[in-house]
Amino acid sequence: MRGCAALVTLMPSYDGGHHAIKGFAFQFDASLLQVLANPTETVELEGAQDIGVQCYHIQVKHRSSNYHLSRISRAVQQMMEQFASNQRAKLILYCHFTDQTPGTTLKLSKHDLDKALDKHADKYSDDTKDWFIKSFTVVFAADFQTQFRTVLDQLRRVLRARNEVEAICWHAVIHSHLRDVIFERPMGERKISLNDLKDLVHDARAAVFEASYAQICGHAEYLQLLRNEYKSRTAHIPPIERLFIVEYDSKTHTLDLVDIAASLQRRYFAGTSPAPYISFRGPTDLTEIKHALWQSRLHFHDGFDYGGAEFSPASIVSPQLPGYGIKLLDFAMLDQLTDHMKMHEVHDFYLTNPAFNPFDEARVRHAIIESPTDLFEIFRGRV
């Protein structure tokens, strides 16, 4: 089935928490199946309906009971309301009922539609109802556990999980990501693709590998691994835009951040290569870091043209004054640059959790560190 999916969960009042969590998990898995089944498409979550692919809109419903028209009436009413404003939409109600065979479909009759619409039936013309009936399909799905097993099989096949245990790990990572997409992005921007999932799993694999490597081989060996990765193999630095995100904590001295900025400037602001963007994320007010940079005569652009001015993405991307070798960017303002430039590489050095990257087209490298001072060893070559 090609399309998109949404969830309307109508559960009995007893044991409501269990049914609510199970319903949302069922919806997430239905969404994941749509992404895996449509590798070239972008899938929208919680938009006009719960899931959207191309012109398809799907609601997802899981009931531990037998099918009856009354049990889908609310979903039909919601989808009919959407169809009245967009009659090009193709609508699917993806649902599980214990007495229906998975994979079978159902088309409503005019009588069934009027009955499902109930008191709302008179709101719509006969032509609108006829077109809705042609565009609307009920698809009966497998139960929660069977769908979950199907998702794991697809993860092993598409994302090349080596075994079921690894597939379960990626399933948990992806569910967490889908939840963040829904909760943190506004409607219309809650979109994911198969490539997004592949990047997510790639980053997770790298994080697991590096954490294990550091634990087994020791921190010094791990830094050697990163140093080799970042060692320049040529005297020429390719002229591309780079962003370095560095997480720090309350134990980090401000002058250590100054030295990190100086190391990145020396390494990457060379020849025709543009000044690197540097974003520190941590508990200290960025003003204190800026003051320390000026005191150390390490000049930078920050997107503020004068004291009290508003942040200007255009100013930091193409500063009017000669380049100082560093573009210092507040982490909270990263997403304001996406419409003004193309970032080629993002290097995220984190202590706890990887940073969110708003630059979809950039090549991203997440690396866990014990302290920001690890960057001295990585970029200055002292191990």
Side-chain angles (χ1 to χ4, degrees):
M1 175 182 65
R2 294 181 64 82
C4 43
L7 174 64
V8 172
T9 307
L10 301 177
M11 295 295 180
S13 58
Y14 62 87
D15 204 8
H18 165 79
H19 288 296
I21 294 172
K22 186 176 180 181
F24 281 114
F26 185 75
Q27 178 186 357
F28 279 131
D29 281 349
S31 304
L32 185 50
L33 284 176
Q34 291 301 312
V35 178
L36 296 172
N38 296 275
T40 62
E41 303 295 339
T42 297
V43 175
E44 182 177 9
L45 307 178
E46 295 290 347
Q49 296 293 340
D50 292 343
I51 309 171
V53 181
Q54 295 181 334
C55 60
Y56 285 83
H57 302 275
I58 303 172
Q59 281 200 22
V60 181
K61 188 183 186 76
H62 187 281
R63 291 295 297 271
S64 299
S65 59
N66 291 342
Y67 170 77
H68 190 275
L69 181 63
S70 63
R71 293 192 170 108
I72 67 169
S73 293
R74 181 183 171 191
V76 171
Q77 292 167 15
Q78 291 177 346
M79 301 183 91
M80 182 66 178
E81 184 176 357
Q82 179 195 349
F83 184 78
S85 61
N86 177 19
Q87 296 192 14
R88 293 184 300 173
K90 297 179 181 179
L91 304 169
I92 297 172
L93 178 57
Y94 181 82
C95 53
H96 169 72
F97 291 95
T98 55
D99 63 336
Q100 298 298 314
T101 304
T104 59
T105 62
L106 172 69
K107 300 291 288 187
L108 295 183
S109 66
K110 182 72 172 296
H111 173 75
D112 287 341
L113 177 59
D114 284 337
K115 191 174 180 179
L117 293 176
D118 194 25
K119 62 183 180 181
H120 304 289
D122 293 339
K123 288 174 54 177
Y124 308 103
S125 68
D126 287 339
D127 281 347
T128 299
K129 293 177 183 178
D130 289 340
W131 281 111
F132 178 83
I133 290 171
K134 293 178 181 178
S135 301
F136 175 74
T137 305
V138 179
V139 177
F140 294 107
D143 63 274
F144 173 81
Q145 288 293 340
T146 302
Q147 180 177 257
F148 175 66
R149 307 307 307 181
T150 300
V151 170
L152 292 185
D153 289 342
Q154 290 296 313
L155 289 176
R156 294 186 66 174
R157 183 181 64 83
V158 179
L159 298 182
R160 299 182 180 179
R162 288 169 291 186
N163 50 47
E164 183 174 290
V165 173
E166 189 173 57
I168 292 174
C169 290
W170 301 150
H171 181 269
V173 169
I174 292 169
H175 266 224
S176 177
H177 177 69
L178 296 184
R179 181 197 60 206
D180 291 342
V181 167
I182 292 172
F183 290 161
E184 297 178 4
R185 299 184 191 177
M187 185 177 292
E189 297 182 14
R190 300 165 185 163
K191 299 178 181 180
I192 58 171
S193 66
L194 180 58
N195 283 337
D196 294 332
L197 298 188
K198 288 181 177 179
D199 290 342
L200 186 69
V201 169
H202 177 272
D203 292 341
R205 278 194 173 111
V208 170
F209 166 77
E210 290 177 355
S212 301
Y213 190 99
Q215 185 176 15
I216 295 171
C217 300
H219 189 59
E221 288 292 328
Y222 173 62
L223 291 184
Q224 178 70 53
L225 178 73
L226 291 180
R227 189 183 68 179
N228 290 340
E229 181 176 339
Y230 281 95
K231 182 185 295 184
S232 177
R233 290 170 173 76
T234 173
H236 174 66
I237 302 297
I240 59 177
E241 300 286 2
R242 300 176 179 87
L243 166 65
F244 294 87
I245 304 173
V246 181
E247 184 181 13
Y248 65 97
D249 56 22
S250 58
K251 299 177 183 179
T252 306
H253 198 287
T254 303
L255 291 181
D256 286 336
L257 300 181
V258 171
D259 289 343
I260 290 169
S263 295
L264 294 174
Q265 180 193 46
R266 286 193 297 269
R267 169 67 70 89
Y268 291 102
F269 186 54
T272 59
S273 183
Y277 290 82
I278 302 175
S279 181
F280 294 112
R281 61 181 183 118
T284 307
D285 189 319
L286 195 59
T287 302
E288 181 179 335
I289 300 174
K290 292 179 181 180
H291 180 73
L293 288 169
W294 280 108
Q295 289 290 100
S296 301
R297 299 192 178 187
L298 198 61
H299 298 165
F300 57 87
H301 288 296
D302 63 357
F304 296 92
D305 293 328
Y306 54 88
E310 292 185 357
F311 175 71
S312 170
S315 179
I316 194 171
V317 170
S318 301
Q320 297 179 356
L321 297 175
Y324 288 134
I326 293 175
K327 294 183 177 182
L328 189 67
L329 187 61
D330 190 325
F331 182 74
M333 297 177 177
L334 281 182
D335 58 352
Q336 296 188 37
L337 263 63
T338 55
D339 293 333
H340 295 268
M341 64 167 301
K342 179 179 180 181
M343 191 71 70
H344 296 89
E345 294 180 357
V346 175
H347 303 271
D348 171 37
F349 297 93
Y350 65 95
L351 301 173
T352 53
N353 296 307
F356 171 72
N357 165 47
F359 301 98
D360 295 334
E361 297 181 358
R363 183 171 58 184
V364 184
R365 174 67 166 91
H366 299 282
I368 189 170
I369 53 176
E370 287 188 353
S371 165
T373 55
D374 286 347
L375 272 70
F376 299 157
E377 320 302 328
I378 296 169
F379 292 106
R380 293 205 308 212
R382 290 189 298 104
V383 175

